Amino acid sequence: MKKRSYVWLIVILLLIPLRTDAEETKINAKYQWNLADIYVSEANFKRDYQAVADALPKLSSYEGKLARASNVAKLFALNERIARKLEKLSLYAHLKQDLNIEDKTAAHLKAQVETLISDYAAKTAFIEPELLSLSERTLAKLQKSKPLKPYRYYFEELRERKKHTLSKREEQLLAKLSPIMSDPENIYNNAARGDYDPPSVRTPDGKTVSLTDENYTKALEHPDRNYRKRAFQTRFQSYETIENTSAATLYASVKADELYAKARKYKSGLDAALSADDVPKQVFTNLISTVNTHLPSLHRYVELRKKALGVDRVHTYDMSVPLVEETIAKKMKFPFETAQSLILEGLKPLGDDYIQNVRRAFEQRWIDVYPRPKKYTGGYNTGAYDTHPFILLNYDGSLDGLLTTAHEIGHAMNSVYTNKTQPYHYSRQSIFTAEVASTANEWLMMDYFLKQAKTDEEKLYLLNQQIDQIRGTLYTQVMYSEFEQAIHDKVRQGGSLTAAELNELWLRLLKKYYGPAYAADPEAARGWLRIPHFYDAFYVYKYATSLAASFELVKQMKADETGEATKRYLQFLRSGTSDDPIRLLQKAGVDMTSPKPLENLLSYFDSLVREMEQLLKKQGRL
């Protein structure tokens, strides 16, 4: 069940466990984080820790006194001082452990901080319920008061939430039910990750491999079609063992979402989810309808794949195999020094100040670059209000590795600009806009590479990358969203969700989205049970809207020789959560309540498919 984060609970987000894998190696220090930028020594860490522990009891002194603006202002100021220190403490402990999961000191520090944050959560638990219990008149008075002027937008959100706040007794009951309503996801995770054992398959060279996520992805990219087919069928047939459990848990999760929405006086689970993000419903409905209108472009791409691969119909196991020779991908290798130069060049349209900040990231050890034993194996950007961003990579020299670097730098620069401009309580990014800054950098880099392509094969490789990026982030996520809407509507109207019904719906959507050149294999019907995001209702549509918003912003910046579009974009990066995400994007120059940004992106997708088609014809491959 999705909930909104508020000022005094923001630190709790840092408790999300970051799996880790790192130990010190002889990698040049300039490619590793300098955690002394957070705390020079553990003595400094302990000093902040003690300061927070000493300050926590003071929070309780304001309980029952929040009808007065002066008391609320003092409480918010105290809370911010505590939260900012807690944020640094949590950041330091987590990053230290992310560099080496076997670091016992890091594990001890992390445990200490988590205990402190738990105490903090308990001490601040009264704040929001007490504010919401105040009359609308009192809240309006607080919002207009001089001491709380910096919190005007926060109170605007709070007053909107009050419309969906229940009596004290009802709120207490919902709070007690909350852990139970999360059980479906926990059961699903245990079944899909704990009880499920990936099957094995024999590779073309005679080896037997377990079809883990990584090996399955490699199998779908293998040139041997029979092997791809065997891997697909083996993997999807194995889901039969958890199919009914997954259907039951998804049904229970959707029922919980709809029950929660009804209890809070929303018309539907969709309305509740959109309200939590301050997003009007037309944004979601425009997304579904606009993408459906442009499905012929996706059908054209599937038809193109069919012809290029020389097959009668395209199956699921034909959708990931590259349409260009593997040698092109192998040639496109970038040492990190080269990647830095290319990123600095590709992001030049964002202006000198932006580039200077990116240089700081490269030169001042904001990035832990290379994989090593016991280091966390993923990639992310994080940080605190009072520190610079920290980017974790496992850089492998590939084009994907370079684009990941640019992506995470986008997140980092968003934080840099926001933290310079906004007060602490508006220093985050809305989930709705969180991926705009990162994907904008990817658009700029791919545009740069496409212009620099020296051969048709390089161009084809890049076109294929760009097409599949849009397909996966826009078309696929919208198909997921359409599936979500259908199952939520059915449950709200009193229907059930069996495995057979979910399979039938999923297969129907696959056929609609991929068109007549696509063969929907019976095994593919179980695709829905591989998507854990469905347990966080109506989340995935935001991947699609962020991509469309960033495309529109980059399009405007490239076309505007006056630099005004870039100024608007940089102002957007400075905005944090100082206003609702739709208004912030509108100020930047893109209106997500209109279908136009989506139509522009989908038209671009169509142009890429047609360009790829022409190049393949030129090579005699169609």
Side-chain angles (χ1 to χ4, degrees):
M1 188 167 59
K2 190 170 174 296
K3 294 184 178 178
R4 191 187 300 214
S5 299
Y6 286 90
V7 175
W8 40 80
L9 294 179
I10 211 158
V11 174
I12 305 304
L13 294 175
L14 292 173
L15 279 175
I16 298 171
L18 301 172
R19 291 179 303 160
T20 58
D21 284 17
E23 71 180 2
E24 293 305 313
T25 69
K26 295 180 180 179
I27 293 174
N28 192 315
K30 71 179 181 179
Y31 299 122
Q32 299 182 51
W33 286 330
N34 179 18
L35 297 188
D37 288 348
I38 308 173
Y39 289 112
V40 175
S41 68
E42 285 186 28
N44 296 81
F45 178 94
K46 290 176 181 177
R47 186 161 56 246
D48 268 3
Y49 184 94
Q50 192 58 50
V52 170
D54 292 342
L56 283 179
K58 299 176 184 177
L59 291 164
S60 303
S61 65
Y62 292 94
E63 190 167 1
K65 303 175 183 178
L66 300 187
R68 294 185 60 182
S70 59
N71 288 338
V72 177
K74 289 175 185 176
L75 171 61
F76 281 7
L78 172 62
N79 180 70
E80 179 179 323
R81 290 194 297 273
I82 294 171
R84 285 168 69 167
K85 281 186 168 61
L86 264 178
E87 196 175 61
K88 283 182 66 179
L89 291 166
S90 182
L91 179 69
Y92 182 79
H94 278 91
L95 295 188
K96 190 172 177 63
Q97 192 175 56
D98 270 12
L99 294 178
N100 184 351
I101 195 169
E102 295 182 359
D103 186 331
K104 293 180 180 179
T105 300
H108 176 67
L109 294 177
K110 182 181 172 185
Q112 283 186 306
V113 173
E114 288 178 351
T115 299
L116 196 61
I117 292 181
S118 179
D119 292 343
Y120 168 79
K123 293 291 185 184
T124 55
F126 75 92
I127 301 175
E128 192 164 287
E130 184 172 331
L131 286 171
L132 286 169
S133 72
L134 299 174
S135 68
E136 169 60 23
R137 182 179 178 182
T138 301
L139 282 176
K141 188 176 178 182
L142 289 174
Q143 184 178 7
K144 294 176 183 177
S145 68
K146 188 175 180 180
L148 295 173
K149 184 178 180 180
Y151 298 91
R152 292 279 167 87
Y153 176 60
Y154 167 73
F155 276 97
E156 180 184 323
E157 284 191 305
L158 197 69
R159 291 172 67 189
E160 182 61 32
R161 285 193 67 220
K162 184 172 173 60
K163 299 174 185 176
H164 302 281
T165 300
L166 310 179
S167 68
K168 183 177 181 180
R169 185 177 179 183
E170 289 169 327
E171 287 290 343
Q172 288 173 339
L173 179 60
L174 273 185
K176 289 179 180 178
L177 287 174
S178 183
I180 299 172
M181 295 172 85
S182 299
D183 281 347
E185 182 177 9
N186 295 332
I187 296 168
Y188 165 78
N189 285 331
N190 284 330
R193 306 189 190 288
D195 297 337
Y196 173 75
D197 290 319
S200 296
V201 68
R202 189 174 293 276
T203 65
D205 59 4
K207 296 178 181 177
T208 298
V209 297
S210 174
L211 285 174
T212 60
D213 289 344
E214 181 181 2
N215 287 336
Y216 180 63
T217 298
K218 289 179 180 177
L220 291 187
E221 295 173 351
H222 199 281
D224 187 324
R225 194 179 191 221
N226 286 329
Y227 174 53
R228 297 200 307 270
K229 180 178 180 180
R230 283 190 292 108
F232 162 73
Q233 289 179 334
T234 302
R235 175 85 179 236
F236 273 70
Q237 286 168 3
S238 74
Y239 291 143
E240 188 175 3
T241 60
I242 59 170
E243 184 178 47
N244 290 320
T245 299
S246 298
T249 56
L250 185 56
Y251 177 41
S253 179
V254 173
K255 279 200 298 183
D257 290 333
E258 292 299 327
L259 175 63
Y260 177 81
K262 185 176 181 180
R264 291 208 173 278
K265 305 168 191 172
Y266 290 103
K267 292 180 180 179
S268 67
L270 174 60
D271 287 336
L274 293 171
S275 175
D277 292 326
D278 290 322
V279 173
K281 193 170 184 178
Q282 71 189 93
V283 172
F284 185 87
T285 55
N286 278 344
L287 178 66
I288 302 291
S289 61
T290 306
V291 168
N292 270 265
T293 300
H294 288 263
L295 285 178
S297 296
L298 181 57
H299 298 170
R300 187 183 188 102
Y301 175 56
V302 178
E303 179 69 28
L304 176 62
R305 273 195 160 269
K306 184 187 84 167
K307 292 176 181 177
L309 293 172
V311 296
D312 292 333
R313 301 279 294 282
V314 172
H315 294 252
T316 299
Y317 49 83
D318 296 318
M319 288 302 297
S320 299
V321 62
L323 297 183
V324 295
E325 294 181 15
E326 291 183 33
T327 53
I328 298 299
K330 290 177 181 177
K331 286 179 183 177
M332 297 190 80
K333 290 293 183 181
F334 311 94
F336 195 66
E337 293 80 1
T338 303
Q340 291 179 61
S341 299
L342 291 170
I343 288 170
L344 290 168
E345 191 66 28
L347 299 183
K348 271 187 177 179
L350 297 178
D352 293 341
D353 186 67
Y354 191 98
I355 293 300
Q356 282 301 109
N357 282 313
V358 176
R359 286 188 189 279
R360 288 173 59 209
F362 287 142
E363 295 170 1
Q364 297 178 16
R365 298 174 61 185
W366 294 11
I367 308 174
D368 201 275
V369 179
Y370 294 110
R372 52 191 186 272
K374 301 182 179 66
K375 177 183 171 182
Y376 173 63
T377 56
Y380 60 75
N381 168 77
T382 188
Y385 187 69
D386 296 306
T387 72
H388 62 70
F390 288 82
I391 297 172
L392 183 138
L393 301 174
N394 281 275
Y395 190 73
D396 62 0
S398 66
L399 175 63
D400 184 62
L402 185 150
L403 292 174
T404 297
T405 305
H407 178 103
E408 299 302 342
I409 284 173
H411 283 305
M413 294 304 110
N414 202 169
S415 296
V416 167
Y417 280 99
T418 296
N419 291 351
K420 278 184 180 178
T421 310
Q422 296 299 330
Y424 178 72
H425 53 279
Y426 293 145
S427 65
R428 301 287 161 166
Q429 284 77 45
S430 161
I431 295 174
F432 185 78
T433 59
E435 294 299 326
V436 172
S438 54
T439 53
N441 280 10
E442 290 192 64
W443 287 123
L444 286 166
M445 291 309 304
M446 283 301 290
D447 183 64
Y448 175 79
F449 279 117
L450 283 165
K451 288 176 180 176
Q452 297 294 319
K454 295 181 176 64
T455 66
D456 285 349
E457 280 299 305
E458 280 187 17
K459 190 76 173 283
L460 277 171
Y461 176 74
L462 293 166
L463 286 171
N464 203 168
Q465 291 279 314
Q466 191 80 310
I467 288 168
D468 282 340
Q469 169 71 4
I470 299 171
R471 176 173 69 90
T473 309
L474 182 60
Y475 281 108
T476 299
Q477 303 306 322
V478 173
M479 190 190 90
Y480 291 174
S481 300
E482 199 168 338
F483 176 83
E484 278 191 283
Q485 187 176 28
I487 61 176
H488 276 260
D489 286 348
K490 186 173 184 181
V491 169
R492 190 174 62 258
Q493 293 161 10
S496 62
L497 299 176
T498 65
E501 290 168 328
L502 292 166
N503 288 350
E504 192 276 331
L505 171 60
W506 191 262
L507 212 57
R508 189 166 70 243
L509 286 170
L510 283 175
K511 291 175 182 177
K512 181 173 88 166
Y513 271 72
Y514 288 100
Y518 175 77
D521 299 293
E523 295 91 346
R526 299 188 181 106
W528 58 269
L529 65 79
R530 303 177 67 229
I531 316 299
H533 288 82
F534 291 151
Y535 293 86
D536 189 356
F538 300 103
Y539 183 89
V540 296
Y541 84 93
K542 286 169 275 199
Y543 291 123
T545 51
S546 284
L547 193 73
S550 64
F551 176 79
E552 186 67 17
L553 291 168
V554 169
K555 178 173 171 284
Q556 291 176 15
M557 286 189 280
K558 289 192 299 184
D560 180 16
E561 295 181 0
T562 68
E564 289 303 312
T566 301
K567 288 179 182 177
R568 290 197 304 269
Y569 176 69
L570 294 179
Q571 186 56 41
F572 165 76
L573 296 185
R574 296 183 180 99
S575 299
T577 52
S578 59
D579 204 342
D580 80 55
I582 297 299
R583 287 199 292 255
L584 291 177
L585 285 170
Q586 287 170 339
K587 291 174 186 176
V590 55
D591 184 3
M592 291 308 297
T593 65
S594 162
K596 185 179 177 182
L598 293 160
E599 289 171 348
N600 287 341
L601 175 53
L602 289 160
S603 295
Y604 175 64
F605 176 85
D606 188 74
S607 72
L608 293 174
V609 173
R610 291 176 186 274
E611 186 175 2
M612 190 174 195
E613 193 173 59
Q614 290 304 311
L615 282 174
L616 289 170
K617 283 181 179 178
K618 179 181 174 183
Q619 293 184 338
R621 295 177 57 189
L622 292 182

